[in-house]
Amino acid sequence: MNSSRREFFRTAAAGVACAGALRSAASDSSIEVLIGEPIATIAPEIYGHFVENLGGVIYDGIWVGADSAIPNVGGLRKQLVDALQRINPPVIRWPGGCFADSYDWRDGIGPRDKRPRRTNFWAAADEWPKNARRTGPQIYDPNQLGTIEFAQFCKAVGAQPYFASNLRGSTAQDFDRWVEYCNSPAGSTTLADQRAADGEREPLNVRYWGVGNEAWGCGGSFTPADYATEFLRYIAWVPGYGMPLALVGSGPNGNDLDWTRGFFSKVARKGALGRMWGWSMHHYAWNASGGRTSDWMAGKGSALRFDAAQYYEILREANQMETFITSQWAAMGETDRLHRVKLVVDEWGAWYAPGTEPFAEALLGQQSTMRDAVVAGMTLDTFNRHADKIGMAAVAQLVNCLQSLFFAHEGQFCLTPTYHVFDMYRAHQKAQSLRTSVSAPAISFARAGGTGSLPGLSCSASLHDKALTLTITNLSLDQARQVEIGLRGASITAARAVTLAAADAHAHNSFENPHAVEPRAEQVRAGGAKLVRVCAPASVTKLELTLG
Ligand code: AHR
């Protein structure tokens, strides 16, 4: 922070009107919102979701069947549809993930009672809980939720579908045909007639299409050059039927810059960069070992039982998102100098060791605590701050899996702290992201062979007409932060705060105790260009400020 900004805060602090009437002398942190420094409009699609046919995501989670005693809309769990609607989901990715790399879309069309049963991609995963029933729809996929049912789910919640195509196991022709089934005009083709018979006469107008998934791994173990060849074959002449298709390439494993450079240079040599809309990137916060191992299984910790070091390790992993975004963006820009291609972070979240599944068939299901709310807050803040680069993102996954927003099993249902963060942050959608300047004590923590460090606070700000949204995450496990908030270039006429906090970062919701963690809203006394707010340890805060 430069000296003039320090001076601004010193002056602004005098006689501050603030939440809890705190005196500025005690403030240890500051955030300045630079009203005159817009970054870009925040694409609503940054607040997207991911639904994979994995464990309890589809069957039991979303799809209960039209004949179920569980309240449903055409087979879709009603409580989930209603709750999802409330947070304005802009886009939902389906059917995977790795599942997509073996999915035949034709299995999910036609009369539901005639659809084939297939072995699910995840049937033999090492992570299955010992007591899981290994015979149900999670193992032998009944294909009850196919293209039409998924499109109807999206329609019911107000989201656009984002389909991941199978580049490993099917052909460019299959891809063309799936687009034809979805988008060709009513009555025009045999597949359009099939779509009508399945329940949707009008085109589904699917715009977003992933061309493969993790092509370096479960999506085919390609080299970047070989994947580029396949990608070019897939996207050559794929018909859009009047819908400009937004085609997304399968990006790197972690922050692998060679993958990005290798792919982009080959696609650019063929003059095809302009036909690409997005470049996908996946980043999970999973290694809680403090640098002791990079083994995928051994490095993970528990979602519920964690100490301070493991708490900070997961935040440290999540915080790498910023570096990954900026370095991938720079590598893309070496070829795509005009930055026509946007980054699509279509899998992100915390990933823990098995052991806290909400029920045994929820493969990769895990509890979700205030630590995960902090991960969600800091990640969404990062996306907002890079609104010029991120075209879309999807948290993994929607329900019963990884950093989910919901738990749903038979007649039981509950919201996780991550749901509440999405609810709080939805005010950023379509707003203008603004630059901020943050000063807060850094966090240090011990790790193998040294010390780790994290910023004390994460934040992002956005403006829509006179409504300024400022979201703040306090990363510290045990220190509250008193934050002086100043606006450069505007004054505040009204303020409201919404806080998600708990006495303990391990706090979480469950079927038995669904309201343990919930946000709290309050009016805040405001006037002038500043206010002071205390942010509890491991908390997420949203300030809604009306500007004069
Ligand atoms: O989200 C779970 C899995 O993680 C996805 O199937 C895959 O794309 C990623 O490796």
Side-chain angles (χ1 to χ4, degrees):
M1 187 167 159
N2 65 32
S3 58
S4 65
R5 284 187 180 155
R6 265 188 215 291
E7 179 60 20
F8 168 82
F9 280 111
R10 211 178 50 71
T11 322
V16 68
C18 63
L22 292 157
R23 288 182 46 230
S24 61
S27 295
D28 53 28
S29 305
S30 61
I31 296 173
E32 187 181 11
V33 182
L34 309 174
I35 304 287
E37 295 191 30
I39 298 169
T41 301
I42 298 173
E45 288 78 12
I46 284 178
Y47 288 82
H49 301 278
F50 175 35
V51 159
E52 176 164 10
N53 192 348
L54 189 184
V57 179
I58 304 278
Y59 298 107
D60 210 2
I62 297 172
W63 182 260
V64 294
D67 300 332
S68 171
I70 299 166
N72 67 85
V73 274
L76 304 163
R77 184 184 285 272
K78 184 165 182 341
Q79 264 183 308
L80 187 140
V81 167
D82 292 346
L84 190 52
Q85 237 175 29
R86 285 200 293 275
I87 59 168
N88 300 346
V91 65
I92 309 178
R93 179 173 181 244
W94 174 83
C98 294
F99 174 86
D101 300 319
S102 62
Y103 181 61
D104 182 348
W105 67 270
R106 287 187 183 83
D107 288 347
I109 64 169
R112 282 204 286 274
D113 59 354
K114 301 265 177 330
R115 294 185 189 170
R117 257 190 335 276
R118 306 276 187 217
T119 307
N120 186 295
F121 171 89
W122 292 96
D126 293 340
E127 291 90 344
W128 276 105
K130 297 231 167 352
N131 55 337
R133 231 171 8 107
R134 304 294 292 273
T135 52
Q138 286 83 11
I139 304 291
Y140 301 113
D141 176 11
N143 278 297
Q144 297 299 284
L145 187 139
T147 298
I148 291 296
E149 291 79 12
F150 181 72
Q152 289 172 344
F153 175 53
C154 289
K155 221 191 258 181
V157 300
Q160 292 197 61
Y162 167 25
F163 286 164
S165 67
N166 174 0
L167 180 129
R168 170 166 71 87
S170 63
T171 64
Q173 174 95 315
D174 295 318
F175 179 46
D176 276 21
R177 294 282 190 260
W178 198 9
V179 178
E180 182 175 319
Y181 175 80
C182 293
N183 289 358
S184 61
S188 64
T189 64
T190 305
L191 284 172
D193 292 348
Q194 176 71 57
R195 184 185 67 225
D198 292 345
E200 292 291 327
R201 188 181 139 71
E202 296 308 317
L204 305 177
N205 290 329
V206 179
R207 173 165 183 240
Y208 297 111
W209 293 88
V211 184
N213 166 74
E214 298 193 348
W216 41 265
C218 60
S221 301
F222 289 104
T223 64
D226 289 347
Y227 170 58
T229 306
E230 289 304 308
F231 177 88
L232 290 166
R233 191 212 309 274
Y234 260 63
I235 67 164
W237 305 105
V238 59
Y241 304 97
M243 165 60 62
L245 302 184
L247 301 167
V248 180
S250 168
N253 180 7
N255 195 21
D256 182 354
L257 296 171
D258 290 341
W259 177 269
T260 298
R261 290 189 178 116
F263 175 89
F264 268 68
S265 57
K266 184 152 184 184
V267 172
R269 275 202 300 281
K270 284 288 180 184
L273 270 186
R275 300 221 302 281
M276 227 176 126
W277 179 81
W279 183 234
S280 122
M281 180 182 122
H282 296 172
H283 176 49
Y284 288 101
W286 64 275
N287 193 336
S289 77
R292 283 166 194 87
T293 178
S294 55
D295 182 275
W296 177 245
M297 298 303 261
K300 296 206 194 81
S302 165
L304 271 184
R305 288 170 296 283
F306 54 87
D307 58 18
Q310 290 165 324
Y311 168 89
Y312 286 124
E313 283 301 326
I314 291 299
L315 268 47
R316 179 183 174 277
E317 293 256 302
N319 194 48
Q320 288 177 329
M321 184 68 88
E322 181 128 38
T323 309
F324 287 11
I325 289 170
T326 50
S327 43
Q328 287 295 324
W329 188 249
M332 291 156 72
E334 290 166 14
T335 322
D336 180 23
R337 293 190 192 285
L338 298 175
H339 276 305
R340 287 170 295 192
V341 182
K342 295 292 173 201
L343 265 171
V344 172
V345 189
D346 50 14
E347 288 183 33
W348 68 266
W351 189 326
Y352 302 111
T356 64
E357 299 80 3
F359 56 99
E361 289 71 38
L363 177 68
L364 304 188
Q366 59 190 32
Q367 249 304 344
S368 197
T369 65
M370 276 306 298
R371 174 172 64 172
D372 301 294
V374 170
V375 167
M378 59 195 279
T379 304
L380 293 172
D381 281 334
T382 304
F383 294 158
N384 291 338
R385 291 196 302 268
H386 293 281
D388 52 335
K389 309 175 186 69
I390 314 284
M392 178 154 67
V395 59
Q397 299 195 7
L398 185 71
V399 48
N400 292 334
C401 185
L402 303 177
Q403 182 150 359
S404 51
L405 280 78
F406 309 107
F407 297 131
H409 177 45
E410 298 173 346
Q412 309 176 93
F413 181 76
C414 90
L415 310 175
T416 70
T418 296
Y419 174 89
H420 294 304
V421 175
F422 270 79
D423 192 13
M424 290 160 71
Y425 276 58
R426 76 192 146 97
H428 283 301
Q429 292 186 22
K430 285 199 198 136
Q432 190 64 228
S433 175
L434 300 176
R435 251 173 246 294
T436 52
S437 170
V438 184
S439 168
I443 296 167
S444 297
F445 54 97
R447 54 196 324 269
T451 309
S453 145
L454 277 168
L457 294 176
S458 139
C459 80
S460 65
S462 69
L463 188 62
H464 194 270
D465 297 329
K466 298 250 172 246
L468 180 92
T469 302
L470 174 65
T471 44
I472 310 169
T473 301
N474 181 1
L475 279 61
S476 173
L477 185 58
D478 51 11
Q479 301 289 306
R481 297 264 86 100
Q482 182 165 309
V483 191
E484 291 187 9
I485 296 152
L487 306 191
R488 164 94 62 92
S491 59
I492 307 164
T493 59
R496 181 175 174 268
V498 182
T499 311
L500 191 66
D504 181 345
H506 298 82
H508 57 277
N509 297 334
S510 61
F511 294 137
E512 297 71 36
N513 192 3
H515 303 294
V517 179
E518 286 193 327
R520 193 171 47 85
E522 64 189 297
Q523 291 302 321
V524 173
R525 250 184 330 123
K530 76 283 175 182
L531 57 80
V532 174
R533 184 88 204 154
V534 173
C535 296
S539 70
V540 183
T541 301
K542 172 177 71 163
L543 290 168
E544 297 168 348
L545 309 178
T546 308
L547 305 190

